[in-house]
Amino acid sequence: MAVLIVGASVAGVRAAQALRSAGSTAEITVLGEEPHHPYDKPPLSKEMLLPGGDGAAVPLLSEEDVAHLGLDVRLNVRATGLDPWNRTVRTADGGQTDYDELIIATGAAARTLPGTEGIGGVYTIRTAQDAIALRGELEGGRRAVVIGAGFIGAEFASAASAHGVDVTIVEQQEQPLASVLGAEVGREIAALHTANGVALLTGVAVAGVEADERVRGVRLADGRLLAADVVVVGIGAVPGTAWLAGSGLSTENGVLCDERLRAVGVDHVHAVGDVARWPHPFYGTGMRIEHWTNANEHAAVVAADLTGGPMPRPTLPYVWSDQYGRRIQIVGRPAAGTPVLVKPGPAPLAVYTDPGGVLVGAVVVDDPRALMKLRKAVLARLPLAELDLAGMAGVRTSTAAG
């Protein structure tokens, strides 16, 4: 059997590893669009930008690993089309690769700000090349404007401020991450930025950038101009499905899959990672989850399906963010519930409940013991009334209409 994995992403590499761990002896070919050897994604906006490091990408596989796993890894090869009836993937070099089973792992691309294409000093953070180029811009005394106060923008702001860069974050919502974590938790995150010398402008939209050959400022919708030597755009991502046009796959907001990550509408095709939209075991609706841990879970599911092994136990969504020396950890799906702020302040903790009072998610800062306790509670669908908050209760408890 020949397995073709399109995308040398975390999900793609983990899928190859999971197949081998499950005993597969298939020929496995991995097509990677970038020239870089497969690398890990979380460090792009974390370790790769911080002072003191070498700024190098963190490899997912060594050359020895590739040989041991028996993988055919082909770099700098971009997929341009899929013919699922003849089981063929076309590539930008005019070639094609046949398969018996296809795993789509093309991830997602960063959203760009319209009108900024080709302007020097404007960046997104999605690839190793993005992080390498951006690190070279971080010099004390320079001015950076970050568009979007999500995790990517916040992590860049943290790293840039550590280099002595003057950082301003512009966020359209009234509080950072309010649509995901609620307004009260958003205020706690906002306080973390300001406590570390980063300016935060909320409730304001960006009209565009002003530039000569390089960016020189960001124009806000209210007319203000923020001077900038560097601009980082962190406004979300778009699933990498453009190359699948005409394939018969349903690709609205990702490749639509069933509970085994089989692509709906065609045979012998799976999708994994950021590009896959599937019925999550805990939330029941077609979801696309852009989390590192989700990529690992997907790999195990696909490997089990292709080898006939037992399906792995479902895991909760989990994501973390390192900012200003603090670790913010989120488990479950806070956006599906209403937040209850248990412990505000320097290390806030919040839990989220559905209309029936059942836990659906939690956020903790610098508290791994609380995270473990809450992970088990969310996994067990524990009612809030039965949650033992001993050791976690703080100054006050209040509901927040997120």
Side-chain angles (χ1 to χ4, degrees), residues 112-123 209 211-215:
T112 57
L113 191 67
T116 61
E117 296 80 3
I119 296 177
V122 178
Y123 295 89
V209 302
D212 299 316
E213 291 185 356
R214 277 187 62 94
V215 67

Side-chain angles (χ1 to χ4, degrees), residues 314-386:
T315 60
L316 285 176
Y318 166 76
V319 65
W320 78 97
S321 180
D322 295 329
Q323 302 174 27
Y324 312 106
R326 315 299 295 274
R327 173 154 289 188
I328 302 169
Q329 295 173 289
I330 302 173
V331 65
R333 191 180 170 210
T338 299
V340 176
L341 193 62
V342 176
K343 186 171 66 174
L349 178 150
V351 297
Y352 298 76
T353 61
D354 68 11
V358 174
L359 290 169
V360 296
V363 179
V364 303
V365 178
D366 295 336
D367 196 340
R369 291 181 62 185
L371 179 75
M372 291 177 62
K373 192 171 190 177
L374 289 165
R375 186 198 293 268
K376 292 178 181 178
V378 175
L379 192 61
R381 303 180 187 274
L382 194 71
L384 178 62
E386 297 180 19

